Amino acid sequence: DTAVSQTPKYLVTQMGNDKSIKCEQNLGHDTMYWYKQDSKKFLKIMFSYNNKELIINETVPNRFSPKSPDKAHLNLHINSLELGDSAVYFCASSQSIGGGTEAFFGQGTRLTVV
Amino acid sequence: DQQVKQNSPSLSVQEGRISILNCDYTNSMFDYFLWYKKYPAEGPTFLISISSIKDKNEDGRFTVFLNKSAKHLSLHIVPSQPGDSAVYFCAARSGAGSYQLTFGKGTKLSVIP
């Protein structure tokens, strides 16, 4: 059973398009995240949601909009895609209370904007 | 400004020997440190962690050492196995209740049979 699953695994799209990446966790965690790994291999946090509420919103263009319909899902919508958005996007989850600090990551979505 | 630094992008070690991966940090507010392992085309997998109140944590072949005064931590793998070949990320949390992990750039470990 996959603990944190994100779809699609690969996404190739043209500049200007709008796309979504879905993420689901079956661990019962109350906090979910989106991280971006750029071409320089840095893993940087983009957003964090705790119990469906936005907790962290790093300096990310407002073309990126996370949506959390429930505690188990955190989807990432990206509007007007640009070449610089090409990266690997990782979803993750953790338990804020009573659990360890470690976050569990999905397998990543490699987004290529052409 | 990199708050978590892994200055060695790669490391090669013979099977059976010790692998030592290093990590330095600059933020004195970090209170919890983690190591993640990542295989190609997979997400990072949690490996081991250490609280800032400790200086050592051991789990099987993996040991993490923390030197707070030097703002340095290291991951020791002994004995190293070919399956340990992966990218290792050091990460840090800034205070209880913080939801954010700050990652280093990673060190690619190659264990040679």
Side-chain angles (χ1 to χ4, degrees):
Chain A
D1 263 352
T2 305
V4 181
S5 60
Q6 50 183 112
T7 54
K9 188 170 181 178
Y10 299 98
L11 183 55
V12 181
T13 187
Q14 289 187 320
M15 280 176 56
N17 283 351
D18 303 337
K19 290 293 178 185
S20 295
I21 307 172
K22 295 186 177 181
C23 179
E24 176 181 5
Q25 55 95 2
N26 62 8
L27 297 166
H29 287 164
D30 60 1
T31 306
M32 294 186 72
Y33 313 80
W34 277 106
Y35 281 84
K36 177 181 179 181
Q37 187 178 31
D38 59 23
S39 57
K40 295 182 179 178
K41 305 301 181 188
F42 281 108
L43 259 171
K44 290 184 180 176
I45 192 165
M46 300 173 68
F47 302 101
S48 172
Y49 268 72
N50 176 255
N51 284 316
K52 296 170 53 181
E53 282 191 36
L54 181 64
I55 301 298
I56 295 173
N57 183 358
E58 290 295 307
T59 307
V60 175
N62 57 15
R63 298 181 295 103
F64 291 77
S65 55
K67 288 193 171 45
S68 181
D70 54 57
K71 275 175 32 173
H73 295 84
L74 181 62
N75 304 322
L76 184 64
H77 302 275
I78 316 171
N79 296 325
S80 303
L81 277 155
E82 300 177 356
L83 293 176
D85 297 332
S86 296
V88 182
Y89 293 84
F90 289 99
C91 177
S93 72
S94 68
Q95 184 61 30
S96 62
I97 300 174
T101 300
E102 58 268 24
F104 292 78
F105 284 79
Q107 65 181 2
T109 295
R110 181 174 292 278
L111 171 66
T112 304
V113 182
V114 298
Chain B
D1 182 32
Q2 285 179 253
Q3 296 187 63
V4 178
K5 299 178 186 179
Q6 294 176 256
N7 292 319
S8 298
S10 62
L11 174 68
S12 289
V13 172
Q14 207 72 31
E15 180 179 3
R17 305 294 290 267
I18 184 171
S19 295
I20 300 176
L21 297 102
N22 293 304
C23 178
D24 297 293
Y25 63 95
T26 57
N27 188 342
S28 57
M29 297 301 293
F30 287 146
D31 71 336
Y32 201 84
F33 303 89
L34 306 90
W35 284 94
Y36 280 82
K37 176 180 177 179
K38 185 182 179 304
Y39 293 118
E42 292 185 14
T45 303
F46 170 73
L47 193 58
I48 192 169
S49 62
I50 188 167
S51 165
S52 61
I53 62 173
K54 296 187 176 181
D55 55 17
K56 178 183 175 181
N57 187 25
E58 192 172 351
D59 184 3
R61 297 186 297 115
F62 303 92
T63 304
V64 56
F65 294 93
L66 175 62
N67 182 334
K68 277 186 67 177
S69 59
K71 293 191 175 68
H72 177 84
L73 65 155
S74 60
L75 173 68
H76 292 212
I77 307 173
V78 54
S80 301
Q81 299 173 355
D84 296 329
S85 297
V87 177
Y88 289 79
F89 289 95
C90 173
R93 183 192 74 174
S94 51
S98 169
Y99 296 94
Q100 181 172 343
L101 292 178
T102 301
F103 282 84
K105 203 171 172 180
T107 297
K108 184 176 181 179
L109 173 66
S110 300
V111 179
I112 305 162

